[in-house]
C-alpha cells in the first residue's frame, strides 16, 4: 500500500479518492471545498491545512483539477509543488488539459528530478464511483508501470498512449468523438419522436442496429428511457456541458495548431457553446437533447 495525496475532490476526484481509501492506501486529501474534504475524511482519509502540508511524505501525488491554469498553479506557481517534492515522488495528473500544458509541467518535473505522468480519464462520474474508469497515460514506460497498480484501484482499463502529453491528445480525441455521438444521438431521437415514435422503442431499434453507440447504449439522452443516467434526473450530475465545452475547445485549438480538419468536431463545439449560452452549462452534456427537442420543457 502506498502513501498517496489526492488534490481536487470534485465530481470525479471525490469518488476516485474514495476508491483509494477502500483499497487500503494511506490517503491524504486536499480541496478548497471543506465539504468535499469532510466527505473523504469520513471515509478514512486524512486532511491537511495547506496543499504543501498535504504532500508531505507522499510517495504518489494525484491531481484532478478543472483546467490547465489550475494544474500550472499547483505545480509551477510561486510555491508550486515541484519545488518541494522529493525526487522519489510519482506525480499523476488526471486533469484534462492541453497537451502543451501537460508537456510543460512534465518538463519542469523532469528538470526537478520528479517522475510525472499525464493520465486523464474516461468513464464519467458513474465510472469514478464504480472504479471502472479508463486511464489514458502519457509518460515514460517505467512511470507507467509504477503508476499502474495505483490506477487499477480506480480504473478498469489502463492505457499507455505514449510520451508526455499523449494521454491528453488521446483524451481530447475521445471527448470530441463523444460530443459528436451525443449530438447525433439526440438529433436522431428528436426526429423520431417528432414523427410519433416512442423514444424507448426507437432507442432499442437503434441500439440493435448500425446506429448503436456509447451515448445511445449506455448514456441515453432522452428522459426516462434509461435508469440511472443524468437524462432521467433532470440532467443533474454527470459530465457538465461547461466541461465538454472546455474539452472541445482544447480539441479545436490542437486541430488549428496541427492543421487537422475537424468539421464535425467544430460543429459539435458550436452546438455545445450555444447550449451553454442558453443557461445549460451546469447540466450534464446529454442535455444537448433539449437543444433538439425543446417542446419537452
Amino acid at each position: 500500500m502506498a502513501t498517496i495525496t489526492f488534490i481536487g475532490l470534485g465530481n470525479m476526484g471525490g469518488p476516485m479518492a474514495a476508491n483509494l481509501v477502500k483499497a487500503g492506501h494511506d490517503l491524504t486529501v486536499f480541496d478548497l471545498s471543506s465539504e468535499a474534504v469532510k466527505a473523504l475524511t469520513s471515509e478514512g482519509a486524512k486532511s491537511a491545512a495547506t496543499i504543501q502540508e498535504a504532500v508531505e511524505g507522499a510517495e504518489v501525488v494525484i491531481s484532478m483539477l478543472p483546467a490547465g491554469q489550475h494544474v500550472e498553479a499547483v505545480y509551477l506557481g510561486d510555491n508550486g509543488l515541484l519545488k518541494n517534492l522529493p525526487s522519489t515522488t510519482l506525480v499523476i495528473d488526471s486533469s484534462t488539459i492541453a497537451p502543451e500544458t501537460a508537456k510543460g509541467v512534465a518538463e519542469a518535473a523532469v528538470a526537478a528530478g520528479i517522475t510525472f505522468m499525464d493520465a486523464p480519464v474516461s468513464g464519467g462520474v458513474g465510472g469514478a464511483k464504480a472504479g471502472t474508469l479508463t486511464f489514458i497515460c502519457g509518460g515514460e514506460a517505467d512511470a507507467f508501470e509504477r503508476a499502474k497498480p495505483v490506477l487499477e484501484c480506480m480504473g478498469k482499463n489502463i492505457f499507455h498512449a505514449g510520451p508526455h502529453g499523449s494521454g491528453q491528445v488521446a483524451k481530447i480525441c475521445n471527448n470530441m468523438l463523444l460530443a459528436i455521438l451525443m449530438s447525433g444521438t439526440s438529433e436522431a431521437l428528436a426526429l423520431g419522436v417528432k414523427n410519433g415514435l416512442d423514444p424507448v422503442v426507437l432507442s432499442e431499434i437503434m441500439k440493435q442496429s448500425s446506429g448503436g453507440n456509447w451515448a445511445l447504449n449506455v448514456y441515453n439522452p432522452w428522459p426516462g428511457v434509461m435508469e440511472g443516467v443524468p437524462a432521467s434526473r433532470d440532467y443533474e450530475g454527470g459530465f457538465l456541458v461547461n466541461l465538454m465545452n472546455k474539452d472541445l475547445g482544447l480539441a479545436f485549438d490542437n486541430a488549428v495548431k496541427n492543421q487537422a480538419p475537424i468539421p464535425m468536431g467544430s460543429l459539435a463545439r458550436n452546438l455545445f457553446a450555444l447550449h451553454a449560452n442558453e443557461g445549460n452549462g451546469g447540466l450534464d452534456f446529454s442535455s444537448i437533447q433539449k437543444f433538439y427537442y425543446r417542446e419537452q420543457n
Side-chain angles (χ1 to χ4, degrees):
M1 295 297 103
T3 301
I4 303 173
T5 296
F6 202 107
I7 302 167
L9 305 173
N11 289 340
M12 295 292 292
M16 289 168 66
N19 282 326
L20 291 172
V21 175
K22 292 174 185 175
H25 291 291
D26 181 0
L27 186 72
T28 300
V29 296
F30 181 84
D31 193 278
L32 296 179
S33 168
S34 58
E35 288 300 314
V37 172
K38 184 178 178 181
L40 265 296
T41 55
S42 69
E43 296 194 35
K46 303 172 186 176
S47 64
T50 67
I51 196 169
Q52 288 76 23
E53 180 184 328
V55 300
E56 289 180 4
E59 299 169 280
V60 181
V61 174
I62 304 172
S63 51
M64 175 60 98
L65 301 166
Q69 63 264 34
H70 305 107
V71 175
E72 290 179 323
V74 165
Y75 292 109
L76 307 180
D78 292 338
N79 202 19
L81 295 182
L82 294 183
K83 298 177 181 178
N84 303 305
L85 290 173
S87 60
T88 53
T89 310
L90 169 63
V91 175
I92 303 170
D93 180 49
S94 287
S95 317
T96 298
I97 59 178
E100 293 75 20
T101 303
K103 290 177 184 177
V105 177
E107 289 172 2
V110 170
I114 295 169
T115 303
F116 177 88
M117 188 170 66
D118 53 288
V121 302
S122 178
V125 175
K129 291 179 178 178
T132 58
L133 291 171
T134 294
F135 282 87
I136 312 165
C137 305
E140 301 297 330
D142 58 346
F144 175 74
E145 293 302 323
R146 183 178 168 193
K148 195 173 181 181
V150 174
L151 299 181
E152 286 175 340
C153 298
M154 302 176 285
K156 183 178 180 181
N157 301 297
I158 318 296
F159 293 102
H160 185 205
H164 294 126
S166 298
Q168 300 297 344
V169 173
K171 174 62 187 292
I172 61 177
C173 290
N174 178 80
N175 276 23
M176 182 179 72
L177 178 59
L178 175 59
I180 294 167
L181 291 173
M182 186 59 78
S183 297
T185 297
S186 298
E187 189 172 306
L189 286 169
L191 177 61
V193 170
K194 287 185 177 183
N195 278 275
L197 296 183
D198 183 331
V200 175
V201 174
L202 177 58
S203 293
E204 193 61 28
I205 291 170
M206 294 193 295
K207 281 170 63 178
Q208 302 304 324
S209 304
S210 55
N213 67 81
W214 187 90
L216 178 70
N217 299 357
V218 179
Y219 212 83
N220 196 292
W222 196 278
V225 170
M226 186 176 290
E227 294 182 3
V229 297
S232 294
R233 54 174 188 268
D234 296 323
Y235 300 107
E236 293 298 325
F239 185 59
L240 303 187
V241 171
N242 285 337
L243 294 178
M244 178 58 85
N245 268 334
K246 182 202 76 171
D247 292 357
L248 288 168
L250 292 173
F252 182 83
D253 292 344
N254 189 271
V256 170
K257 179 181 178 181
N258 289 283
Q259 297 183 330
I262 54 165
M264 297 298 291
S266 296
L267 178 56
R269 178 177 178 242
N270 289 338
L271 287 169
F272 277 95
L274 179 58
H275 187 51
N277 288 337
E278 291 180 340
N280 301 299
L283 299 180
D284 179 75
F285 81 108
S286 62
S287 65
I288 194 70
Q289 183 71 78
K290 296 169 62 176
F291 177 85
Y292 290 102
Y293 197 86
R294 297 166 187 260
E295 291 88 342
Q296 69 179 358
N297 296 323

